[in-house]
Amino acid sequence: MTAPTVVQALREARAQGIDRLDAQLLLAAALGQPRSWLLAHDDVALTPPQQRRFAAHCERRAGGEPVAYLLGEKEFHGLTLQVGPDVLVPRPDTETLVDWALELLRQGPARPAVLDLGTGSGAIALAIAHGHPAASVCATDLSAAALAVARANGERLGLAVEWLQADWWAPFAGRRFDLVLANPPYVADGDPHLAALVHEPPAALTAGADGLAALRAISAQAGAHLRRGGWLLLEHGHDQAAAVQAMLGNAGFGAIETRTDLGGRP
């Protein structure tokens, strides 16, 4: 049987329902080449080991496993992060939260103290440390496994972050920050979208019957941990803006603002 070429292998992957970009990324990884290489070598035949690697990855991707887990890495805000099933896959929409934070930090104190609550892979904390080197960055996660991933990313990238295993504000009595960020769990228990997220850690996704439990816990105590004029930036669900604004107002916050993600959703 004739070995498939690059273009034929990609066509077969598309026939399995795999997105074109995903198929290219998986094939490039199987061949040990950059994705751009595929475009100029579409007539190159795959070797049997390459075929097996690509077929195995395609089968897993067709079953819903994220490409980032298959490749073991994900790009976020210009940084390549190692990821796996212990952490959520960093989303491009979350880069807008980092952009907002960096905008505020440029207008703030010379050496700001920044906290990332529920850091997961360390994506937000490391992007802040990279984008604003004068910041002193701390990051927490309740999961020891997730924190190990984040710490390894920081070491590999050479970015200094204080990593703490903790449940939200628990270790910060008497400690205040200029800026606090969080992309906490905000999906409601039983939400139909969870069916497409079965490969990612449930504890990093869901937060009670209405999805707001983590956001409530963070906002309720944030005032005690922010310096005067400090900011709390939160990512929330597309239908939670009004509830989160009310929550922050009840917690005593002013200058409450909602921005949109890359798709124009609040």
Side-chain angles (χ1 to χ4, degrees):
M1 184 176 178
T2 306
T5 63
V6 165
V7 69
Q8 290 169 338
L10 290 173
R11 189 179 300 127
E12 291 171 8
R14 293 289 289 122
Q16 296 178 56
I18 298 172
D19 176 83
R20 177 174 174 271
L21 175 59
D22 290 353
Q24 290 177 339
L25 290 170
L26 295 175
L27 182 56
L31 299 179
Q33 298 287 352
R35 187 168 69 95
S36 58
W37 183 91
L38 302 178
L39 304 177
H41 299 83
D42 59 4
D43 58 346
V44 172
L46 277 64
T47 66
Q50 290 170 342
Q51 290 181 59
R52 288 192 291 271
R53 282 197 296 273
F54 184 55
H57 276 172
C58 284
E59 182 178 358
R60 291 168 65 185
R61 180 65 192 122
E65 193 166 348
V67 170
Y69 290 170
L70 298 175
L71 300 180
E73 64 182 33
K74 177 69 174 179
E75 181 104 354
F76 182 84
H77 217 271
L79 302 175
T80 300
L81 302 173
Q82 294 177 346
V83 298
D86 291 318
V87 298
L88 286 183
V89 176
R91 266 64 168 183
D93 283 325
T94 303
E95 294 185 3
T96 63
L97 193 73
V98 172
D99 290 339
W100 193 354
L102 293 175
E103 175 187 317
L104 293 170
L105 290 172
R106 286 191 290 269
Q107 304 166 18
R111 298 191 61 79
V114 179
L115 173 62
D116 173 26
L117 293 169
T119 195
S121 65
I124 291 174
L126 293 168
I128 296 295
H130 181 257
H132 199 86
S136 173
V137 183
C138 178
T140 70
D141 205 286
L142 186 59
S143 164
L147 210 61
V149 173
R151 185 177 286 112
N153 278 323
E155 291 173 355
R156 185 174 50 82
L157 293 168
L159 294 169
V161 173
E162 177 188 3
W163 306 104
L164 296 175
Q165 185 179 359
D167 186 12
W168 305 132
W169 302 108
F172 299 114
R175 190 168 172 183
R176 292 178 179 266
F177 299 87
D178 298 290
L179 177 71
V180 176
L181 306 94
N183 177 20
Y186 55 74
V187 181
D189 295 342
D191 188 292
H193 294 95
L194 291 170
L197 302 169
V198 293
H199 295 278
E200 299 188 68
L205 290 167
T206 59
D210 60 1
L212 295 171
L215 288 159
R216 286 193 190 95
I218 292 169
S219 61
Q221 299 182 48
H225 299 285
L226 283 169
R227 292 174 180 162
R228 185 170 180 82
W231 283 84
L232 172 66
L233 301 187
L234 302 170
E235 182 167 334
H236 58 69
H238 69 94
D239 57 352
Q240 296 172 333
V244 172
Q245 284 203 0
M247 188 186 302
L248 293 171
N250 291 335
F253 280 88
I256 299 170
E257 179 183 348
T258 297
R259 294 196 178 182
T260 57
D261 64 15
L262 298 175
R265 296 174 294 266

